[in-house]
């Protein structure tokens, strides 16, 4: 399995297009959205300034991009190309393939998180305590596993041609409705009620809680745990179903 992880990492690092969208793109969006914002005015209902709010949102968005976009399309194409079928002939267990995909995506997601933090601190003078920087990095990195599981499930759900539009709709829908591109406090009340139950909203809320030096809301933790269970369970079921077809 270690050899497969190294192979997946090498492939991901050689994909310049993927690296741009997962590592550089979130920082560019942060500058576009928060570049002209002042560092004192707080967003109503959040207690955070726009730069501090968007720093967590864009770091979460970058991790989401790496683990979701990186997994789904690659898995679907490998299924069609016969690569997954060949791996089943080796001693590699099925869970090893899934773990290798998740691990490689998680490694790539870490730089996107760190770069957003560096840009926010250097350009917008965002200042937090040392424990907050470490806690933010750990929480956002660990939370990305929820969407890594979703990426694996989508990769086994659709074919290589169909997986891209499905992934893009899921990706942009979760990002926009979950408040990663703009504060959900700007949404209509009915849309805010929906957003509170989305895993992306709960994901960003963990980081915002750390910025505010408070404990996360129980509802956000429940949403993430339930989402991970559903996505991971769905991925496992689809993998077994795909194995029976082979």
């Amino acid at each position: 399995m270690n050899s497969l992880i190294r192979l997946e990492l090498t492939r991901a690092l050689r994909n310049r297009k993927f690296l741009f969208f997962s590592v550089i793109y979130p920082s560019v969006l942060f500058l576009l959205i928060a570049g002209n914002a002042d560092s004192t005015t707080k967003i109503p209902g959040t207690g955070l300034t726009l730069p501090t709010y968007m720093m967590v949102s864009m770091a979460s968005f970058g991790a989401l991009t790496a683990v979701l976009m990186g997994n789904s399309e690659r898995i679907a194409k490998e299924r069609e190309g016969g690569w997954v079928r060949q791996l089943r002939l080796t001693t590699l267990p099925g869970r090893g393939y899934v773990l290798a995909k998740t691990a490689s995506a998680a490694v790539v997601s870490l730089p996107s998180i760190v770069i957003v933090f560096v840009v926010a601190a250097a350009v917008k003078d965002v200042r937090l305590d040392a424990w907050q920087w470490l806690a933010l990095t750990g929480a956002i990195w660990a939370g990305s596993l929820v969407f890594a599981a979703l990426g694996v499930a989508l990769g086994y759900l659709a074919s290589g041609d169909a997986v891209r539009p499905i992934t893009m709709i899921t990706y942009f829908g979760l990002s926009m409705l979950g408040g990663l591109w703009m504060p959900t406090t700007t949404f209509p009340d009915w849309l805010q009620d929906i957003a509170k139950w989305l895993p992306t909203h709960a994901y960003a809320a963990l980081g915002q809680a750390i910025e505010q030096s408070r404990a996360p809301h129980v509802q956000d933790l429940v949403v993430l745990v339930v989402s991970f269970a559903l996505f991971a369970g769905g991925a496992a079921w689809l993998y077994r179903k795909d194995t029976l077809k082979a």
Side-chain angles (χ1 to χ4, degrees):
M1 186 174 70
N2 291 335
S3 298
L4 183 59
I5 292 176
R6 287 194 295 269
L7 174 63
E8 292 296 332
L9 282 174
T10 301
R11 292 172 63 185
L13 294 175
R14 286 179 178 175
N15 189 334
R16 296 180 181 178
K17 183 178 179 181
F18 173 70
L19 286 177
F20 172 78
F21 280 102
S22 63
V23 177
I24 306 300
Y25 184 50
S27 298
V28 174
L29 279 181
F30 170 80
L31 292 175
L32 289 174
I33 297 173
N36 294 324
D38 63 70
S39 300
T40 56
T41 304
K42 294 185 178 181
I43 300 172
T46 67
L48 299 172
T49 63
L50 185 62
T52 54
Y53 181 97
M54 292 310 302
M55 181 184 74
V56 165
S57 295
M58 286 299 106
S60 302
F61 176 67
L64 170 68
T65 302
V67 298
L68 181 58
M69 301 296 289
N71 271 338
S72 59
E73 290 190 41
R74 194 174 298 124
I75 289 174
K77 290 179 180 179
E78 288 177 354
R79 287 172 53 226
E80 288 193 342
W83 173 242
V84 176
R85 190 179 301 109
Q86 291 182 12
L87 287 177
R88 290 188 185 125
L89 300 177
T90 69
T91 57
L92 179 73
R95 65 179 180 278
Y97 174 79
V98 175
L99 287 173
K101 290 293 184 184
T102 303
S104 62
V107 170
V108 175
S109 72
L110 183 59
S112 68
I113 298 170
V114 174
I115 289 176
V116 170
F117 288 171
V118 170
V119 170
V123 179
K124 298 304 298 179
D125 198 33
V126 174
R127 293 292 180 264
L128 300 172
D129 293 336
W131 74 267
Q132 290 175 303
W133 289 116
L134 292 174
L136 276 174
T137 304
I140 295 174
W141 197 21
S144 68
L145 294 177
V146 174
F147 305 99
L150 175 59
V152 174
L154 291 178
Y156 279 99
L157 178 66
S159 63
D161 292 332
V163 73
R164 174 166 292 187
I166 293 174
T167 301
M168 294 298 287
I169 291 172
T170 304
Y171 170 66
F172 285 114
L174 288 175
S175 298
M176 290 186 289
L177 296 178
L180 298 188
W181 288 4
M182 64 185 71
T184 55
T185 53
T186 63
F187 294 175
D189 290 342
W190 65 270
L191 193 55
Q192 290 187 43
D193 293 336
I194 294 175
K196 290 178 182 178
W197 295 101
L198 294 178
T200 38
H201 180 276
Y203 183 37
L206 289 183
Q208 293 158 11
I210 293 171
E211 287 183 317
Q212 295 172 326
S213 300
R214 60 172 177 80
H217 293 302
V218 174
Q219 178 179 320
D220 294 327
L221 295 175
V222 171
V223 168
L224 287 175
V225 170
V226 171
S227 297
F228 179 74
L230 290 174
F231 297 155
W237 180 78
L238 289 168
Y239 177 82
R240 287 194 297 269
K241 182 179 178 181
D242 189 71
T243 301
L244 293 174
K245 288 182 180 179

